Amino acid sequence: MTASSTRRTTAAHSRPAAVGAIAVAGALLLTGCGDQTQNNGSDGGTAATSSAPLADMLPQTIRDEGVIKVGSDIAYAPVEFKDSSGRTVGIDPDLAAAMGKQLGVEFRFQNGTFDTLLTGLRSKRYHIAMSAMTDSPERQKGIDPNTGKKVGEGVDFVDYFTAGVSIYTRKGDDQGIRTWSDLCGKKVVLQRGTVSEDLAKAEAEKCPKDKKLSIEAFDNDQQAQTRLRAGGADAGSSDFPVAAYAVKTSGGGNDFQLVGEQVEAAPYGIAVAKDQTRLRDALKAALDAIIDNGEYDKILRKWGVVDGAVKEATINGGA
């Protein structure tokens, strides 16, 4: 998820219809984001350090603790969300669990509002942030994309997935919406601090004065969906995997529909503090290991998002 650059973030380069066809959404049905609760379920990925091939790459303090604390907005199905039993599940927790086996630690997810995750990282509440966060130059540099001013130290990203942004409407009520320019004169709901909000603000500046685009932003995507479902808006926007999952699952597939094509395809990255290069490099090695051994592909297939797969982990690949 990217604070105006927390995608779940700031704009990356456009590439229409990249991350996968709507067929991907169908596969999402194979399964099934704040407070500061933490997840202690089996998805943590605990592993004995002695049997973990990459354990010695981690900082000693993390090895001693046996835990990597993960800041995440756990309300972004299917990337990360709570299942019916309250357990944290999704693409990110599954990938983290597989990485944990390589590193000999548990990835412990802690729930937080998306636009506060990087602040939590800077204050050392978390070791990393993993939450469908788009890797962008602004985040890397700690720049507020709306003002162009530096607001923090910036972070490094370990990129692990690619996703675009989609628009969705109530089913059977698309009102002729196909592109972002079609939103002029209408109201869109979305999650605060995401690339969807960035795109909506940019489009609003281009709309004619007599066709103003109204934007209502929420703390999480589920709240935005509820507003649209109740008729309080004309359209919603979120990352494609999330929008597709909502379309296929909300109301048994009867609430929403995708309109138009994806835009702004960009990498999701695990955010790490700039001074934690050893941790960053260990995460990259663990991701490369699960890509090589097939676990990565297996997890993406489970969630129906293989079209967003990368061939190798990269550092700061967002541009």
Side-chain angles (χ1 to χ4, degrees):
M1 309 172 186
T2 50
S4 273
S5 254
T6 316
R7 201 180 208 131
R8 337 171 297 202
T9 190
T10 337
H13 294 329
S14 285
R15 190 177 76 199
V19 179
I22 293 184
V24 172
L28 289 170
L29 286 175
L30 290 172
T31 151
C33 291
D35 56 18
Q36 293 300 323
T37 59
Q38 65 186 35
N39 165 54
N40 293 304
S42 60
D43 50 285
T46 305
T49 300
S50 60
S51 64
L54 302 177
D56 60 356
M57 293 191 68
L58 285 170
Q60 190 62 48
T61 53
I62 291 179
R63 293 184 64 186
D64 291 344
E65 187 175 354
V67 170
I68 291 178
K69 292 178 287 188
V70 185
S72 187
D73 180 3
I74 310 173
Y76 212 59
V79 187
E80 55 265 313
F81 64 105
K82 299 281 188 180
D83 68 10
S84 58
S85 68
R87 192 165 152 270
T88 300
V89 297
I91 300 165
D92 283 355
D94 281 357
L95 291 175
M99 293 165 62
K101 296 175 185 176
Q102 298 293 321
L103 296 169
V105 294
E106 172 190 355
F107 282 67
R108 186 173 296 166
F109 281 70
Q110 299 178 232
N111 197 18
T113 305
F114 185 70
D115 58 2
T116 67
L117 295 181
L118 294 186
T119 300
L121 186 63
R122 285 192 291 267
S123 67
K124 303 188 184 303
R125 181 183 303 141
Y126 320 121
H127 292 114
I128 64 175
M130 188 175 186
S131 190
M133 186 175 290
T134 300
D135 174 0
S136 71
E138 291 87 356
R139 287 194 176 109
Q140 293 173 24
K141 298 174 184 177
I143 302 295
D144 184 329
N146 295 315
T147 66
K149 295 180 179 180
K150 191 169 180 64
V151 294
E153 294 181 355
V155 295
D156 283 336
F157 285 98
V158 181
D159 300 335
Y160 64 98
F161 188 76
T162 303
V165 177
S166 292
I167 300 171
Y168 60 99
T169 67
R170 290 184 299 279
K171 193 165 186 176
D173 188 25
D174 65 23
Q175 301 183 61
I177 298 171
R178 294 290 180 274
T179 68
W180 282 86
S181 61
D182 294 330
L183 292 174
C184 291
K186 295 179 170 56
K187 181 177 182 178
V188 64
V189 289
L190 38 76
Q191 183 175 3
R192 186 176 297 107
T194 64
V195 74
S196 290
E197 185 177 31
D198 294 338
L199 289 171
K201 288 180 177 178
E203 192 62 48
E205 292 181 358
K206 295 184 286 185
C207 290
K209 291 183 178 180
D210 61 341
K211 295 185 67 177
K212 183 178 179 181
L213 167 56
S214 176
I215 303 167
E216 187 171 5
F218 295 86
D219 285 342
N220 63 59
D221 201 71
Q222 293 173 347
Q223 294 169 344
Q225 291 177 23
T226 298
R227 182 70 161 166
L228 178 61
R229 189 184 300 112
D234 301 297
S237 177
S238 61
D239 291 1
F240 172 76
V242 177
Y245 188 84
V247 166
K248 295 300 295 185
T249 62
S250 181
N254 295 315
D255 288 344
F256 304 125
Q257 66 184 59
L258 290 170
V259 295
E261 298 181 332
Q262 294 178 66
V263 299
E264 300 292 328
Y268 283 172
I270 301 172
V272 188
K274 288 283 188 183
D275 61 354
Q276 295 297 312
T277 56
R278 186 169 180 177
L279 174 57
R280 179 200 67 193
D281 293 345
L283 294 170
K284 181 186 185 304
L287 275 164
D288 282 332
I290 66 172
I291 290 171
D292 292 343
N293 70 15
E295 287 187 83
Y296 175 84
D297 182 72
K298 183 178 179 180
I299 291 166
L300 297 195
R301 288 189 182 280
K302 168 186 173 182
W303 292 101
V305 293
V306 290
D307 286 348
V310 297
K311 294 182 178 180
E312 65 178 345
T314 57
I315 294 175
N316 295 333

